[in-house]
Amino acid sequence: MRMSQLFYYPQKEMPKDVEAISHMLMLKSCMIERVASGIYNFLPLGFRVLKKIEDIIRREMLAIGAQEVLLPALHPSELWKITGRWDEYGEELFKLKDRHDRMMCLGPTHEEIITALVKAKINSYRQLPFMLFQIQTKFRDEPRPRFGIIRSREFIMKDLYSFHADEESLNEGYYRVYQAYKNIFDAIGLDYKIVEAESGPIGGDVSHEFVIIAESGEDEIAYCSSCTYSATTEKAEYKPVIVDDSEDLLPIEKVYTPGLKSVEEVSNYLNVPPSKLIKTIMIKADGRSIALLVRGDSEVNLKKVEELLGIKNVSLVEDSETSAPLGFVGPIGLEGIEIIADPEIKGVKNGVVGANEKDYHLKNVNIGRDFEPTRFLPIRRAKKGDLCPKCGGELVISKGIEAGHIFKLGTKYSEPMGAVFQTATGQLKPIIMGCYGIGVSRLVAASIEQNNDKNGIIWPRNIAPYEIYILPTDWTNETIRSFSEDLYNRLVQKGYEVLLDDRDERAGVKFMDADLLGIPIRITIGNRFIRSGIVELKNRRKTDVWEVPAEEIIDRLEGVF
RNA sequence: CGGGGCGUAGCGCAGUUGGGAGCGCGCCUGUUUCGGGUACAGGAGGUCGAAGGUUCGAGUCCUUUCGCCCCGACCA
């Protein structure tokens, strides 16, 4: 491709509200353009990257025996009503009417459509198992689109669905996809973690997220610095560490703390470290109230509470429903209420708690002497420096972008939709399903998040829009120009993807653009070539420059990638 | 959904007490420069988000509305 022909209009100035590096670089380098909130045009450079990522994904999907299909983006409401998700999915579902006033929606995911398809065609265990996938546009009316194409309302997703006669087959299929996903993320060259995750609105039992480590991520994950343990912070476990303050127990004291509710406020006012405060959080679950106690420097993890207590629909208690105003609730004098405490509070001596009275806290409170929790359970959110539950190593907390998510759905969709098959013994059973997604467009941005410097993008070769950037410093010079043209033709002939900067621009402009675009290899043809037939070879990722006799360039190329 | 902010040229922005629509980038023309976003000169380009109102007069004040962005939406 010749730069003079490329649809490429780099921008110097960026809106100040562009936050993610990837978003900024994609706009700057003319890869995408915003159409409306959370809606983007993919321009030639961005689209080439997208296609390369698609190709990698497609190759791996085909390799595990999945077959590619294309399902509609426009769905009739009926299917969504059968599974109940017409209402459950909520405002994120784009709903519309056709000319006959029939309700439709734009597909945010395709379980309903694919299950209906499978129901129509599959009757026997002999037809199982199999896998179908598609790469297609999804629509989700996100409450807050953000970070360019990282969280947009219309995006490209690869979704794969697997269909099985029994659990064993599902497990086998799940494992195969898991491996294929590893291949994909490796091929794209990403730093990622695989974590056990919540299954969310898609549902099902087991699920793993493929999370790309990046500052602009919206997920928080915890992983061990010495073993392979990793999980979302909601799921992450930790070894509680009981640090005994080993102080003499002091008599309890009521202190006036007007309007001071937060740990920070109380801790500053009383000049006591947050770790000496015991937070009391009131929750409701299945109609009963429960008090949760954690150290002031920790946060309660409600998902953990649900899991450990085996209850659902846990919610925080509203101000009006408690005996004491929120912010002043404490464990002492809570009659008839179950108290669940994190084991780490056992070590707190002479702690501070709410007094169950507006504007008062209690000092020098001691567990065992002044109150006794009903049970001790590790109910707080994992945090930096926690000990790994598997090996005792230190946990690291990182932000990340969810780029892949795989689920064992079981019969969540096949059962309500009646997608059944006949077993060898003649029984009818719902088909067991798995579903597996990758945010394809999101991966473009995620890769940039991990591969950039102050001058621009640094593409891994596998997904770079072009592999080689030929930079003639002076296009009006006949010697430089004819050599560049010739080199360009030879490289293209050999199958390389090449950008030839044939613009009549100053060298500086071309160097800036070459760096911004992040093409892996740059070949500079300038004064050195005119004087002594030397051209420069440079890898975008490295600072070294190889000076190579012009006739050797092609042979030397592969060594520089 | 709650809170805050912003809509003025393709992009980024300024516009004071109500009276002339401006600056930078980009774009066009010319000269100049030529290995890290050259310099200079000239030029094209805007129903000031929209509707209504106040006023002799509105980018500016009032009302309504649309769009966009940020923060929060579990930790007392």
Side-chain angles (χ1 to χ4, degrees):
Chain A
M1 186 67 189
R2 291 165 179 269
M3 285 297 281
S4 63
Q5 305 299 308
L6 184 65
F7 191 90
Y8 173 65
Y9 306 100
Q11 270 190 296
K12 277 189 194 168
E13 282 165 306
M14 283 293 113
K16 55 176 172 291
D17 47 36
V18 169
E19 290 192 311
I21 298 165
S22 62
H23 187 197
M24 196 263 285
L25 288 173
M26 290 184 85
L27 288 170
K28 215 173 166 178
S29 64
C30 204
M31 291 180 65
I32 56 170
E33 197 230 359
R34 202 184 72 97
V35 175
S37 175
I39 303 175
Y40 288 85
N41 289 322
F42 262 89
L43 307 181
L45 285 170
F47 191 57
R48 284 183 73 95
V49 177
L50 185 72
K51 283 289 163 197
K52 290 206 168 184
I53 291 175
E54 275 188 27
D55 288 343
I56 290 170
I57 294 171
R58 181 174 289 112
R59 188 183 71 212
E60 294 296 332
M61 293 296 96
L62 294 173
I64 57 170
Q67 298 175 63
E68 188 166 9
V69 293
L70 183 59
L71 309 176
L74 196 56
H75 302 188
S77 61
E78 288 77 23
L79 293 174
W80 286 76
K81 284 182 175 152
I82 295 172
T83 60
R85 287 208 294 181
W86 181 258
D87 298 315
E88 241 173 63
Y89 218 94
E91 304 237 290
E92 261 180 67
L93 198 57
F94 274 107
K95 295 176 180 172
L96 61 153
K97 273 184 191 166
D98 71 5
R99 63 167 68 201
H100 305 293
D101 267 5
R102 281 192 282 255
M103 292 302 293
M104 324 279 283
C105 66
L106 294 174
T109 176
H110 282 72
E111 284 80 14
E112 279 78 2
I113 297 284
I114 197 120
T115 308
L117 164 70
V118 165
K119 174 185 164 137
K121 301 292 180 194
I122 301 302
N123 305 298
S124 157
Y125 74 97
R126 291 172 190 272
Q127 296 167 289
L128 299 170
F130 67 97
M131 298 195 263
L132 297 175
F133 78 99
Q134 64 168 344
I135 295 174
Q136 201 229 25
T137 304
K138 302 284 193 240
F139 300 88
R140 293 182 188 175
D141 197 357
E142 293 285 344
R144 184 131 89 96
R146 242 197 295 201
F147 304 136
I149 58 167
I150 290 178
R151 179 167 296 278
S152 53
R153 298 195 293 171
E154 174 181 331
F155 59 97
I156 311 287
M157 182 170 175
K158 185 284 305 175
D159 46 328
L160 165 73
Y161 303 87
S162 69
F163 304 88
H164 311 270
D166 54 43
E167 287 290 331
E168 195 188 335
S169 168
L170 172 65
N171 290 340
E172 194 266 337
Y174 189 88
Y175 180 72
R176 256 160 60 202
V177 178
Y178 184 98
Q179 292 299 322
Y181 271 37
K182 286 197 345 193
N183 295 342
I184 290 165
F185 287 99
D186 288 341
I188 296 173
L190 291 163
D191 177 15
Y192 65 98
K193 295 283 170 192
I194 303 171
V195 302
E196 281 185 37
E198 296 294 322
S199 35
I202 307 287
D205 306 327
V206 178
S207 112
H208 287 90
E209 263 181 45
F210 288 69
V211 178
I212 291 158
I213 306 296
E215 246 326 289
S216 63
E218 297 174 287
D219 278 15
E220 203 179 60
I221 62 169
Y223 59 92
C224 179
S225 52
S226 42
C227 76
T228 58
Y229 180 78
S230 57
T232 60
T233 46
E234 288 197 334
K235 274 249 176 183
E237 294 172 15
Y238 54 94
K239 275 191 183 159
V241 179
I242 297 161
V243 184
D244 198 314
D245 291 344
S246 61
E247 297 172 12
D248 294 333
L249 304 191
L250 300 172
I252 204 163
E253 197 183 319
K254 187 165 162 184
V255 286
Y256 184 50
T257 52
L260 305 176
K261 293 181 170 187
S262 70
V263 165
E264 201 190 344
E265 288 163 351
V266 174
S267 146
N268 283 337
Y269 183 74
L270 297 178
N271 197 21
V272 171
S275 59
K276 278 225 177 262
L277 269 59
I278 296 173
K279 283 205 277 209
T280 307
I281 290 154
M282 301 296 298
I283 59 164
K284 263 184 318 195
D286 308 333
R288 62 182 168 142
S289 292
I290 300 174
L292 305 174
L293 306 185
V294 294
R295 238 167 48 185
D297 56 351
S298 302
E299 293 180 1
V300 164
N301 181 344
L302 292 182
K303 289 273 192 271
K304 273 252 110 86
V305 173
E306 289 183 352
E307 190 185 315
L308 290 165
L309 298 180
I311 50 180
K312 285 230 163 117
N313 306 320
V314 164
S315 62
L316 296 175
V317 167
E318 301 289 321
D319 207 340
S320 55
E321 299 173 82
T322 47
S323 47
L326 298 180
F328 302 99
V329 178
I332 300 177
L334 288 179
E335 298 301 329
I337 291 179
E338 190 177 4
I339 301 176
I340 312 279
D342 187 87
E344 291 184 348
I345 71 159
K346 285 180 194 168
V348 178
K349 295 287 186 296
N350 299 323
V352 175
V353 302
N356 287 323
E357 186 179 333
K358 185 165 162 43
D359 294 340
Y360 286 95
H361 279 76
L362 297 175
K363 261 172 79 172
N364 302 328
V365 167
N366 287 287
I367 193 166
R369 184 188 71 179
D370 304 317
F371 70 97
E372 192 64 63
T374 323
R375 274 202 276 176
F376 288 97
L377 291 168
I379 52 171
R380 69 167 171 82
R381 188 183 273 269
K383 61 186 181 191
K384 184 170 178 285
D386 275 348
L387 301 186
C388 171
K390 286 231 172 87
C391 75
E394 200 166 307
L395 289 184
V396 179
I397 308 286
S398 236
K399 285 189 166 179
I401 299 166
E402 177 186 344
H405 204 154
I406 60 181
F407 306 83
K408 288 185 188 175
L409 289 178
T411 59
K412 180 176 158 104
Y413 297 94
S414 52
E415 209 168 310
M417 295 185 66
V420 296
F421 68 99
Q422 205 159 22
T423 65
T425 55
Q427 295 167 281
L428 287 179
K429 278 190 174 174
I431 299 171
I432 296 176
M433 294 170 53
C435 90
Y436 318 84
I438 290 182
V440 184
S441 42
R442 179 178 277 188
L443 278 178
V444 179
S447 176
I448 297 174
E449 288 288 324
Q450 289 188 352
N451 298 287
N452 67 78
D453 64 14
K454 65 178 192 332
N455 296 321
I457 305 168
I458 307 175
W459 290 114
R461 184 182 182 180
N462 281 348
I463 60 170
Y466 290 91
E467 298 171 283
I468 299 170
Y469 194 98
I470 300 179
L471 195 157
T473 58
D474 181 2
W475 192 249
T476 61
N477 180 290
E478 177 55 31
T479 313
I480 290 176
R481 185 169 61 195
S482 61
F483 179 77
S484 301
E485 290 272 15
D486 181 57
L487 178 63
Y488 173 69
N489 290 329
R490 280 187 292 152
L491 288 172
V492 169
Q493 200 77 45
K494 282 192 165 294
Y496 287 107
E497 296 173 331
V498 190
L499 271 180
L500 171 63
D501 200 340
D502 61 343
R503 295 173 300 173
D504 184 13
E505 287 285 354
R506 293 166 55 87
V509 172
K510 298 185 178 185
F511 283 116
M512 296 294 284
D513 281 340
D515 284 349
L516 175 62
L517 292 181
I519 308 302
I521 288 192
R522 184 181 81 198
I523 303 174
T524 307
I525 297 153
N527 295 335
R528 300 279 318 263
F529 175 72
I530 299 175
R531 285 202 304 272
S532 46
I534 298 281
V535 300
E536 290 167 16
L537 218 46
K538 185 179 176 300
N539 182 314
R540 175 68 178 82
R541 202 175 283 278
K542 297 175 183 143
T543 52
D544 327 300
V545 174
W546 283 269
E547 297 183 339
V548 181
E551 60 276 13
E552 289 177 27
I553 313 177
I554 293 185
D555 299 328
R556 297 283 298 274
L557 266 181
E558 282 301 323
V560 181
F561 270 113

